[in-house]
Amino acid sequence: QVQLVESGGGLVQAGGSLRLSCAASGTILRINRINTMGWYRQAPGKQRELVARISSGGRTTYADSVKGRFTISRDNSKNTVDLQMNSLKPEDTAVYYCNAIVTTNNYWGQGTQVTVSS
């Protein structure tokens, strides 16, 4: 099993910034590398959607809605992934979930609330 613990959510005004962090742990990580790490979000009444993901080699993918505003990064030695969110908009309001893929298994964090006020 892999445990993912997120931090950094909160309330911010439109145009502001937040940084989300996620740390992965678990005995399985002693022998298995985390493939892709990423951030997803789910707004009320909407499906969970990809925000950004990053491969173990550093290849990144972003949702069109966040390109140029959000930056994902990871530290393979620490099994952490961060999401720097700038120029936040009210439509970015959602619960943000950390995701990690180890072998073929998906793991999820408990989620952290991000609220952007107009």
Side-chain angles (χ1 to χ4, degrees):
Q1 286 288 346
V2 174
Q3 294 78 43
L4 301 175
V5 178
E6 302 124 331
S7 61
L11 173 65
V12 65
Q13 288 187 331
S17 299
L18 282 174
R19 187 176 184 88
L20 305 182
S21 296
C22 174
S25 62
T27 55
I28 192 175
L29 298 180
R30 297 177 185 174
I31 58 174
N32 289 287
R33 176 187 296 180
I34 301 176
N35 296 324
T36 300
M37 299 189 80
W39 290 93
Y40 290 70
R41 67 187 181 188
Q42 187 166 17
K46 295 187 177 181
Q47 289 188 331
R48 190 174 297 188
E49 63 176 2
L50 172 70
V51 177
R53 62 178 176 230
I54 183 168
S55 71
S56 57
R59 179 180 297 180
T60 58
T61 303
Y62 293 93
D64 288 343
S65 60
V66 308
K67 283 180 181 177
R69 300 188 297 123
F70 292 10
T71 302
I72 190 169
S73 60
R74 68 186 281 180
D75 185 330
N76 291 331
S77 67
K78 297 180 180 179
N79 289 326
T80 59
V81 62
D82 292 344
L83 184 69
Q84 177 65 42
M85 305 185 293
N86 298 327
S87 302
L88 282 160
K89 304 175 180 180
E91 50 264 43
D92 294 318
T93 295
V95 177
Y96 284 68
Y97 296 91
C98 179
N99 171 263
I101 300 175
V102 181
T103 62
T104 59
N105 297 314
N106 262 290
Y107 297 93
W108 295 92
Q110 79 285 357
T112 184
Q113 178 70 46
V114 171
T115 303
V116 184
S117 63
S118 57

